[in-house]
């Protein structure tokens, strides 16, 4: 059963001696970003394992995101299934000011992890369909809904 938890996870146990593992099966609320919106919390199933100077993250992320079609601005729903196999650096190797560091101190930001992996996985600019005719450049009509008087799209 997935349970909803806070978006950050204390991974201190992984970083100390003993190299424990943490299993995560959670629903993560991901804020909208880059014109992408999450329909529901992302379902995150991950195994976190302490490795040399960092954490290895393996598992899956399932979510459904909504984007705007880059031609007609209509809503596009994109189901997302990501296989995750990432390693994040911890301690002195990690730069807390680096852009996109999901590990800050002993807290792993799962929302940020989902965001970064989503950005990597999705092509730039969604399309509602491959042959979306977009908007008429003269009157702005959505040509998916019919022609206007401004010639062939
Ligand atoms: Zn479109
Ligand atoms: Zn027109």
């Amino acid at each position: 059963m997935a349970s909803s938890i806070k978006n950050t996870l204390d991974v201190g146990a992984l970083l100390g001696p003993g190299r424990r593992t943490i299993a995560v099966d959670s629903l993560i609320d991901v804020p909208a970003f880059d014109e992408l919106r999450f329909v529901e919390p992302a379902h995150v199933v991950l195994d976190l394992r302490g490795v040399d100077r960092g954490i290895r993250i393996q598992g899956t992320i399932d979510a459904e995101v909504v984007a705007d079609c880059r031609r007609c601005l209509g809503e596009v729903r994109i189901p997302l299934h990501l296989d995750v196999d990432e390693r994040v650096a911890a301690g002195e190797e990690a730069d807390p000011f680096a852009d996109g560091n999901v590990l800050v101190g002993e807290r792993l930001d799962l929302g940020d992890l989902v965001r970064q992996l989503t950005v990597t996985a999705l092509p730039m600019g969604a399309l509602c369909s491959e042959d979306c005719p977009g908007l008429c450049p003269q009157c702005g009509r959505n040509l998916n809904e019919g022609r206007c008087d401004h010639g062939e799209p």
Side-chain angles (χ1 to χ4, degrees):
M1 267 304 284
S3 61
S4 196
I5 61 162
K6 287 203 181 109
N7 278 9
T8 62
L9 192 68
D10 185 346
V11 294
L14 300 181
L15 301 173
R19 300 271 167 88
R20 291 172 51 193
T21 63
I22 297 177
V24 177
D25 184 346
S26 301
L27 297 173
I28 302 295
D29 266 317
V30 186
F33 59 90
D34 289 354
E35 293 155 21
L36 291 174
R37 304 176 293 286
F38 281 72
V39 179
E40 292 174 335
H43 186 195
V44 173
V45 181
L46 298 173
D47 278 319
L48 311 178
R49 205 151 44 84
V51 295
D52 195 25
R53 293 189 296 276
I55 296 173
R56 185 152 185 205
I57 304 170
Q58 289 174 294
T60 57
I61 295 171
D62 285 278
E64 187 173 13
V65 296
V66 175
D68 295 327
C69 173
R70 69 171 185 259
R71 288 189 200 147
C72 73
L73 309 180
E75 195 176 273
V76 188
R77 286 185 172 238
I78 308 167
L80 207 61
H81 173 84
L82 305 177
D83 291 311
V84 182
D85 189 351
E86 297 283 319
R87 184 185 177 283
V88 294
E92 290 176 2
E93 269 196 22
D95 178 357
F97 302 108
D99 187 34
N101 199 329
V102 296
L103 186 62
V104 178
E106 298 188 341
R107 299 206 72 86
L108 182 69
D109 188 332
L110 292 171
D112 214 34
L113 179 73
V114 172
R115 185 177 65 77
Q116 289 187 26
L117 294 174
T118 301
V119 168
T120 307
L122 291 183
M124 291 301 290
L127 282 177
C128 63
S129 71
E130 280 302 316
D131 51 2
C132 171
L135 304 177
C136 170
Q138 290 185 55
C139 69
R141 183 185 170 95
N142 185 344
L143 299 173
N144 288 301
E145 295 164 5
R147 297 255 172 97
C148 57
D149 299 326
H150 299 107
E152 294 293 315

